[in-house]
Amino acid sequence: MARRPLPRILSSGSASITRSREIARTAADSATDVLHPLITVVRGLRLLAVSGRQKWVATPKERRGPKLFLAAACVLVVALVPYGPILALITVMGAAAWKGRERTPVRTGPDESETARLRSLYEALVPYFSTADDPDPLFAHGGDWSKAFDAYAFDQDGRLTSLRISYPAYFMDGDPAARSRIEQLLHTKSGRGREYHFGWDEEANRLVLTVLDALSTTVAAQRFVTAPGETVLGFTDPDSVSRTVPVLDGDTTVDASPVVWRTGGRSTEPHLLAVGQPGGGTTTLVRSIALQALQNGDVIIVDGGGSGEYAALTGRNGVLAVESGLGGALATLEWAAHETERRLITANLARQSGRPAPDDIRRPLWILLDRPGVLGHLAAADGRPDPQELLRIPLRHGRAAQVTVVLAEQFDALDTLTETVRTHTRARAVLGPASPEQIEAVLGAGPHTTPPPEVPAGRGYVRLGAGPVLRLQVPATPDPYDDATSDAHRQAVLDLLPGRGDPREAAPAREPAVVVPALRPRRSAGCRPPRPPRSAPGPPPRPAVPPPRRRPARSP
C-alpha cells in the first residue's frame, strides 16, 4: 500500500515553523533580560502585599483601629515633608526589589544519589536489625529508611560524613562480635580509604558514625606546656580529651589535643609498654619520652636492638648510661634495682623521723628499654639472667621511689615479655599497622575506629589504665644523626638535647653508635652500689642582695 504524501503545509513549512519558534524564544529571552528589574519589583510588591494582608488578618479586631490611625498619620507626615512622597516611593521600590530577588533554594533533604546511598545502606542493615517475630519492625525490606536514620551529612563528593542510626532495643549491642559485624558493614558500604568512629549509645539505642580527620604528622619534638610529672605521648582527636596545649606546627602555633601520661607517686599507670611493627614508631616514642624526662630527671637507656638510635644522648647531662651490650645492660639494670631499694629505705627513714625526703631521691629516674627480648635471647644463650627479671623491683615499687620504666617491643617478640612486665605496665600503646585482634590483645580493648588507610610512623592507639582507647600520633622525634632526617626535624631534636658534662668538649658533627661503659656497682659485702655521677653542677648561686637602708622618719 503506497504512503500518502504529507500536506504541503507540513512538508514545506516545517523549516519556517522551526525558525519562527527560535525567533519567538529569542525575543522572549531578550524581553525577560530587559524587563528583569521590573519583574523583580512586581514580584516584591506582590510578596509585600501578601505579607501585609497576612499581618492584617492576624491582627485582632480591637487593634485594627489604632493601626489604621497610625498608618494614616504616617502617610500625612510623609506627604507634608519636602520630597516625602519621592523618598517613600524609592523606599517602597527598594524594599520590593529586595523582597523579590531570586534566592538560591535551600536544600531540605538528600538528592537522588544520596537517597540511593541511604536506601542501599538501610537494606544492608535489615538482616542484622530485624527479626521475624517483630510486629512493627524498624528495619524491613522496602521499609522507610527515614525512620531509622535520624541525622546524616554528606560531603561535596556525595559521600557520608556522619550518620545517626536508631536500632531496635533487642539488638545485642553489648556483644563485641555483633558490634564488629555492624561496624564492618558500615565501613564497607560507606566507602573505604577513610577512618570512621563508631559511638554506641546503649541507653538510647543509637549508633553514631563519624568520619575522622587525619591526625597531623607535622608536629615535631618541642617543649610542651606540662606540669611536673606529666609527659605528652602524642596527640589525638579534639573531642577525645578535655585539654589543649599550644604547639608549633611548622611556622604557626596551633592548639592541639595531647594524650598526657601522668607519672609519680599518685599515678595509677606508673609504667608504659609500647608495642609495634618494625618502623612503626616505638623508638620515636621512647626518644620523645627521653627528651621530656631530661627536663627534670635522670635517664637510663638500654638499646636491645643495638642500632645506635640513641647515640645522640650519649654523655648528655642527666643521661646516666646508654647501653646496648648484654653485660652493660645487666650491670645498669642491677644498679637501677639497688637504687630503687635505696630510695625506698631513705624515704621511709625520712618519713619516720619527720624530715622531708632528700633531693636525690625526689629527682625522677627513668629506665628506658628498647627491645628487651633481644637481650633476653642473648642472656639465655649465655646462661645469664634475663634483664627483665632485674626490672621486678623498679616495676613493683618504682611509683613510690620516683622510678618510671618504659619498654618498647615488637609484635614478633611479644611472647618474650615476662608476667611482671605485663602486670605492672598499665599504660599501653600500639604503633604502626596492626590488626584489631593485635590491638585488643595489647590494650585489653578494641578501638572504636576503623584502621587508617595509611599508617605513618608514630601513628597508633593508646590506652591509659582502664580508660578509653584513643588514637595517637607521636610527635616527630627522629635520630638527629640519621642522614634521612630532614633539617627541620634534626634541628628540633638538637635544640632539646641537654648539654654535655664537660662544657669545654665540643660536640662532634656525627657520633658513632658505640656502647657506653656501664655504671658498674661495687660488689663488696654490706655496701650498696654507689650512685652514678650526676651532671656537672651549674653556676654558683648569686649572693643575696642586702636590703636597702630605711631612712629615719622626719619629725613634723
Side-chain angles (χ1 to χ4, degrees):
M1 180 178 180
R3 295 182 179 179
R4 294 182 179 181
L6 293 174
R8 181 175 298 176
I9 297 177
L10 297 178
S11 60
S12 62
S14 60
S16 60
I17 293 174
T18 304
R19 191 180 305 107
S20 300
R21 289 178 179 176
E22 292 178 357
I23 294 174
R25 189 180 295 107
T26 303
D29 294 341
S30 301
T32 302
D33 294 338
V34 173
L35 301 177
H36 183 267
L38 181 60
I39 295 173
T40 302
V41 172
V42 172
R43 187 191 302 118
L45 290 175
R46 180 178 62 81
L47 294 176
L48 288 176
V50 171
S51 178
R53 184 177 181 279
Q54 292 177 353
K55 291 183 178 181
W56 176 259
V57 172
T59 302
K61 293 183 179 180
E62 62 273 8
R63 295 184 180 180
R64 292 182 179 180
K67 281 193 174 183
L68 284 176
F69 178 76
L70 181 61
C74 291
V75 170
L76 180 61
V77 171
V78 170
L80 296 178
V81 172
Y83 305 103
I86 298 178
L87 295 177
L89 180 61
I90 294 174
T91 303
V92 171
M93 292 297 103
W98 178 259
K99 190 73 174 178
R101 73 189 187 280
E102 294 182 356
R103 303 175 183 177
T104 304
V106 180
R107 290 183 54 184
T108 58
D111 55 14
E112 296 181 0
S113 63
E114 296 173 353
T115 303
R117 186 180 292 271
L118 293 174
R119 168 67 61 180
S120 174
L121 191 59
Y122 174 83
E123 294 291 338
L125 292 173
V126 169
Y128 302 93
F129 287 150
S130 64
T131 58
D133 301 334
D134 192 352
D136 186 15
L138 183 61
F139 285 82
H141 291 290
D144 187 8
W145 58 265
S146 60
K147 296 181 180 179
F149 299 158
D150 300 338
Y152 47 83
F154 294 86
D155 57 8
Q156 298 179 355
D157 299 332
R159 306 178 68 186
L160 274 171
T161 57
S162 65
L163 179 65
R164 187 172 62 186
I165 304 173
S166 297
Y167 56 86
Y170 53 77
F171 176 72
M172 297 182 296
D173 50 7
D175 186 9
R179 284 190 177 192
S180 63
R181 287 194 296 266
I182 299 299
E183 294 175 359
Q184 183 179 4
L185 175 64
L186 294 175
H187 180 208
T188 305
K189 292 295 183 179
S190 301
R192 299 183 183 274
R194 298 182 296 176
E195 195 169 359
Y196 296 90
H197 177 267
F198 301 97
W200 292 86
D201 187 0
E202 293 86 352
E203 296 183 6
N205 297 325
R206 283 188 175 88
L207 170 61
V208 179
L209 177 146
T210 308
V211 178
L212 299 175
D213 297 331
L215 297 178
S216 177
T217 59
T218 57
V219 178
Q222 54 192 281
R223 296 295 184 196
F224 301 111
V225 181
T226 55
E230 293 183 345
T231 304
V232 176
L233 300 180
F235 301 95
T236 184
D237 301 305
D239 55 349
S240 299
V241 294
S242 59
R243 177 178 176 179
T244 59
V245 294
V247 297
L248 189 63
D249 189 355
D251 296 334
T252 60
T253 302
V254 298
D255 290 335
S257 303
V259 178
V260 179
W261 174 40
R262 294 174 176 85
T263 58
R266 300 183 181 273
S267 174
T268 57
E269 305 87 20
H271 309 296
L272 173 71
L273 172 62
V275 184
Q277 299 289 355
T282 55
T283 302
T284 300
L285 176 60
V286 174
R287 190 183 295 110
S288 175
I289 293 175
L291 292 178
Q292 298 181 60
L294 287 173
Q295 298 183 27
N296 55 358
D298 298 329
V299 174
I300 294 175
I301 301 175
V302 176
D303 184 11
S307 57
E309 292 284 342
Y310 305 96
L313 296 171
T314 303
R316 302 287 179 175
N317 294 335
V319 180
L320 304 183
V322 178
E323 293 291 343
S324 59
L326 178 60
L330 291 176
T332 302
L333 295 179
E334 185 178 359
W335 173 87
H338 287 291
E339 174 65 15
T340 305
E341 293 179 349
R342 186 191 70 84
R343 290 184 173 214
L344 290 175
I345 296 174
T346 305
N348 188 21
L349 294 176
R351 190 178 298 110
Q352 291 179 2
S353 61
R355 293 181 290 102
D359 293 339
D360 60 339
I361 68 172
R362 296 172 59 183
R363 183 175 176 85
L365 175 63
W366 293 72
I367 306 174
L368 310 180
L369 285 86
D370 193 354
R371 300 197 65 185
V374 177
L375 296 177
H377 287 295
L378 297 177
D382 199 15
R384 307 179 71 175
D386 192 344
Q388 298 183 46
E389 296 297 332
L390 300 174
L391 294 175
R392 183 173 302 175
I393 295 177
L395 286 173
R396 290 182 176 179
H397 309 286
R399 178 175 60 178
Q402 299 293 327
V403 177
T404 304
V405 180
V406 177
L407 294 97
E409 192 52 273
Q410 297 181 3
F411 278 107
D412 55 358
L414 193 59
D415 56 346
T416 61
L417 297 178
T418 61
E419 188 64 25
T420 305
V421 171
R422 295 175 180 269
T423 303
H424 293 87
T425 52
R426 291 176 45 84
R428 302 287 183 87
V430 176
L431 302 178
S435 62
E437 292 77 13
Q438 291 176 326
I439 298 174
E440 186 175 0
V442 175
L443 302 182
H448 294 290
T449 61
T450 57
E454 297 181 0
V455 184
R459 175 68 171 82
Y461 299 93
V462 65
R463 188 186 187 195
L464 302 178
V469 179
L470 306 177
R471 295 200 303 167
L472 178 68
Q473 178 61 52
V474 180
T477 316
D479 181 12
Y481 295 160
D482 188 2
D483 296 335
T485 304
S486 63
D487 295 338
H489 290 171
R490 178 185 293 107
Q491 189 60 38
V493 175
L494 291 176
D495 292 342
L496 297 179
L497 289 175
R500 300 186 183 275
D502 188 0
R504 296 171 297 178
E505 180 183 356
R510 179 180 178 85
E511 293 186 4
V514 297
V515 179
V516 181
L519 302 173
R520 303 182 182 274
R522 299 177 182 174
R523 299 188 178 274
S524 57
C527 180
R528 297 189 177 275
R531 181 172 177 83
R534 301 286 293 270
S535 59
R542 299 177 59 184
V545 180
R549 291 187 176 181
R550 183 176 298 177
R551 297 181 179 180
R554 298 180 180 179
S555 57

